[in-house]
Amino acid sequence: MAVLTRLTGMKRLATLVGCNYKGSQYELHGCINDVFDMQETLISRFGFDKSDVTVLTDEPGSNPLPTGANVKRILGEMIGKAKSGDVLFFHYSGHGTLIPAVKPYHGRKDEAIVPCDFNLITDLDFRQLVDKLPSGTSFTIISDSCHSGGLIDKEKEQIGPTTSKSKHKAQGKTRFISYESLGQHLGNLSGLDSPHVGEHLLHIFGEEASSKFHKDTHQDQKQLNADNGILLSGCQTNETSADIGAEEGDGKPCGAFSHSLQKVIKEHPAVISNKELVTKARKLLQEEHMSQHPCLYCSDGNADKSFLLENQE
């Protein structure tokens, strides 16, 4: 028997992106399945109207394609339409990567996702999107990609890196493109002889390249509206996320993290908090002998709020 729910929020808007990179050396198989599964869940469980759910895939013939510019434009338009009380959602399934910090003294690498044209969308871009949210607007991001922990720059860690070493090996194909492979691919497109991915991206995409690579970007700006962003990542910053086959994915290829979320949601028809959802997905992946550890980044208050602000009557 279905559980009746009361869904808060004036509008419920979603953008779902799945990149399989078909025909390339980076081909994946489950990312498009992930976003169509999520579309169905948003509509049937969380009160989204199909007309308010934008789906971008790189399936041949799709229009518009999930290029870096298109994804940032559509997310910007979604945020531009939002008002206090609205619920916004972004799901990404595809490759992720790590890039050297623009300022070397940071001593770390930064997270990014890899749209179909390789025009990276970085942790700084997501921070800037979150900072544009109207007060009282919720923006939940799921990134089923490698190195996705911390994808919203400076967001507070609630469930983060585990200090224990996993006894399990990664299964399936990883959703990861190395920095070296990125440089080689982008160098072939730009024609530049440079070891820096940012130089290639600026040459190819100009103003549409990530803000991280523009010299006039203030990397150390004070964050605004930090509590409005909620990130559920498929793995820790130093880990990979798996693209699993039909046997492990209940009949079709999918992302291990996306699949675990779907199972948890279906097995728990009552309201579930962001913290509970990530904790249960993490436990499920461990039981399935996966090596990745999903994480949660958000404010203390949002950690205990229901996923997508679903409230049981």
Side-chain angles (χ1 to χ4, degrees), residues 29 48 67 80-81 83 122 125 134 175 230 239 286 297:
H29 300 284
F48 284 73
T67 64
K81 293 187 289 186
K83 296 181 180 179
T122 70
D125 297 314
R175 294 181 169 185
I230 303 168
E239 292 180 334
Q286 184 178 22
Y297 295 81

Side-chain angles (χ1 to χ4, degrees), residues 225-242:
N225 301 325
D227 291 352
N228 289 337
I230 303 168
L231 170 66
L232 288 72
S233 68
C235 61
Q236 299 172 179
T237 299
N238 63 338
E239 292 180 334
T240 57
S241 290

Side-chain angles (χ1 to χ4, degrees), residues 67-68 71-72 111-113 115 119-123 125-126 151 210:
T67 64
V71 173
K72 287 189 289 186
E111 304 81 13
I113 61 173
N119 186 8
L120 303 183
I121 303 177
T122 70
D123 59 337
D125 297 314
F126 285 109
L151 192 58
S210 171

Side-chain angles (χ1 to χ4, degrees), residues 194-307:
S194 171
H196 303 296
V197 161
E199 292 183 9
H200 297 294
L201 290 169
L202 288 170
H203 184 82
I204 299 166
F205 301 108
E207 292 300 313
E208 293 181 344
S210 171
S211 296
K212 186 178 289 287
F213 305 113
H214 292 277
K215 292 182 179 180
D216 58 348
T217 299
H218 299 290
Q219 299 285 329
D220 296 319
Q221 60 187 339
K222 183 179 179 180
Q223 72 182 54
L224 304 173
N225 301 325
D227 291 352
N228 289 337
I230 303 168
L231 170 66
L232 288 72
S233 68
C235 61
Q236 299 172 179
T237 299
N238 63 338
E239 292 180 334
T240 57
S241 290
D243 194 61
I244 58 177
E247 183 176 346
E248 299 93 344
D250 295 333
K252 59 185 174 184
C254 57
F257 179 51
S258 294
H259 184 244
S260 70
L261 290 176
Q262 292 289 347
K263 289 185 72 172
V264 172
I265 290 170
K266 289 176 181 177
E267 292 171 2
H268 296 82
V271 171
I272 188 168
S273 72
N274 292 306
K275 184 180 290 185
E276 290 171 330
L277 180 56
V278 172
T279 299
K280 290 180 183 298
R282 200 181 244 225
K283 182 179 179 182
L284 185 59
L285 287 171
Q286 184 178 22
E287 291 172 351
E288 294 175 349
H289 308 293
M290 305 300 294
S291 61
Q292 65 197 79
H293 299 84
C295 299
L296 174 65
Y297 295 81
C298 62
S299 68
D300 294 341
N302 280 329
D304 293 319
K305 285 185 178 179
S306 57
F307 178 62

